[in-house]
Amino acid sequence: MKAWQVTGTGEPAAVLQQADRDLPQPGPGEALVRVAAVGIGLPDVMMCRGTYAFAPSQPFVPGQEMVGEVEAVGVDCALEPGQRVMGVTAFYNGHGGFAEYCIAPDYSLYPVPHGMSDPEAAAFSIPYHTAWIGLSVRAALAPRETLLVHGAAGGTGSAAVQLGRALGAQVIAVAGSAEKAGFCRALGAQHVVDHSSVDFVQAVRELTQGRGADVVYDPVGGESFERSLECIALGGRLLAVGYACGRWGVLDSQRLVMRNCAALGVFVGAHPQAEILPWHAQLSQLWAAGKISATPAEVVAFDAIGERVAALAERGALGKIVALCK
């Protein structure tokens, strides 16, 4: 099969290469999936650099989320050949979705909503499952509360902007350029802060008349996470979602106490499939009603995966990128 594989540790342009690989074989509880489309994300960049939490043996195939058709199953797999599924691959074992076929455990796969296209399905699972768990489950975001979203023009942040609007929040999106700010406005954010020209802390204070944001959704980490405690409301909830900047934020516990707020981790993998299935169904209903959109910002051909991962490494992308693999 055709695949993109990581052959070393470094920048994607140097270590992510297209190659022919043997078809992988599903193990117990696993499915071999013929990939129709695959999402491209910052974790793929980090896996090339060797800075991600999971480090498969090289050479390995990255690509975390995909949609496709079950081709074959291993022993005790709950799926059947012919089923159309979406979800997370066994990228951590080196059998990701940047290939014509991938391996995925049955517990990480979900039904595709009726009428959802391959590009939409490939861009849905990780961003929206993460946003739901962060905003609805962990933070209990309520209508008319103020939601601050960092990295709002990225694949993870853009899902949080849309879900926040769907849940009735007032959304402040933070992005790093005029182009990204315009992208966030098109997503529906009521307010947009371009942190390349404005201090986001001061901007949030002004937009909230000094009260601060009730919930902060932070997939960026580092200084964004740390300084968010300077503009969070009393009793607010600070969500640690990721570290796109390259490091996790360090919590100032004194400031946390003085604001009487909570810092909460957000990790989809902490929840079993049985818990996620009803959340997936609710998200699917929101999508069907047009309240959230899984339409990727960019759809590219399979042969362009390497180029787009390299562009993502240079922050040269907006929203979610999907590659067609069939």
Side-chain angles (χ1 to χ4, degrees):
M1 66 175 185
K2 292 195 302 181
W4 285 88
Q5 62 181 13
V6 175
T7 58
T9 301
E11 290 303 303
V15 301
L16 183 59
Q17 301 172 356
Q18 195 170 163
D20 290 322
R21 288 174 63 101
D22 292 336
L23 206 65
Q25 299 301 312
E30 294 181 336
L32 174 68
V33 180
R34 183 179 180 88
V35 181
V38 62
I40 299 172
L42 191 58
D44 301 308
V45 175
M46 294 179 174
M47 290 181 75
C48 291
R49 292 172 173 168
T51 59
Y52 198 59
F54 300 95
S57 299
Q58 298 172 359
F60 64 86
V61 178
Q64 291 189 325
E65 54 189 325
M66 60 80 214
V67 60
E69 183 176 304
V70 175
E71 185 81 6
V73 297
V75 176
D76 296 328
C77 180
L79 301 169
E80 296 180 358
Q83 286 184 268
R84 185 172 180 240
V85 293
M86 60 193 287
V88 182
T89 69
F91 68 92
Y92 43 82
N93 287 334
H95 299 299
F98 287 0
E100 293 179 296
Y101 294 86
C102 74
I103 297 293
D106 56 9
Y107 60 77
S108 72
L109 297 175
Y110 296 86
V112 182
H114 177 72
M116 181 177 279
S117 68
D118 289 336
E120 290 173 309
F124 192 85
S125 295
I126 291 179
Y128 281 102
H129 287 183
T130 303
W132 182 273
I133 290 169
L135 299 181
S136 184
V137 178
R138 299 292 279 151
L141 179 69
R144 293 181 295 280
E145 284 194 310
T146 298
L147 168 66
L148 172 62
V149 180
H150 288 294
T156 300
S158 60
V161 169
Q162 294 182 67
L163 183 59
R165 284 298 308 268
L167 295 174
Q170 290 287 315
V171 179
I172 302 174
V174 179
S177 71
E179 181 185 16
K180 291 180 178 179
F183 179 79
C184 294
R185 291 189 187 93
L187 291 175
Q190 286 97 334
H191 305 284
V192 181
V193 176
D194 178 0
H195 69 75
S196 69
S197 59
V198 177
D199 178 62
F200 83 83
V201 170
Q202 184 62 33
V204 171
R205 286 173 176 168
E206 292 175 358
L207 289 169
T208 60
Q209 290 75 53
R211 182 177 181 277
D214 298 291
V215 176
V216 179
Y217 189 90
D218 179 34
V220 176
E223 186 177 354
S224 295
F225 180 85
E226 293 154 2
R227 296 201 64 216
S228 290
L229 287 175
E230 300 174 30
C231 60
I232 196 168
L234 286 170
R237 290 86 79 200
L238 173 57
L239 299 173
V241 181
Y243 60 108
C245 75
R247 70 174 179 90
W248 289 103
V250 178
L251 195 63
D252 182 339
S253 56
Q254 181 181 12
R255 191 180 293 273
L256 189 77
V257 170
M258 296 302 293
R259 300 304 294 169
N260 196 35
C261 61
L264 303 165
V266 180
F267 178 47
V268 176
H271 299 272
Q273 187 188 52
E275 288 185 0
I276 297 176
L277 276 168
W279 302 335
H280 179 77
Q282 291 176 328
L283 286 166
S284 298
Q285 290 172 1
L286 288 174
W287 172 83
K291 294 186 177 181
I292 58 176
S293 171
T295 304
E298 185 178 1
V299 179
V300 302
F302 181 83
D303 289 344
I305 286 178
E307 172 190 335
R308 298 318 293 151
V309 175
L312 191 59
E314 299 298 325
R315 299 293 194 268
L318 294 174
K320 192 67 180 179
I321 307 171
V322 166
L324 297 177
C325 299
K326 64 178 183 179

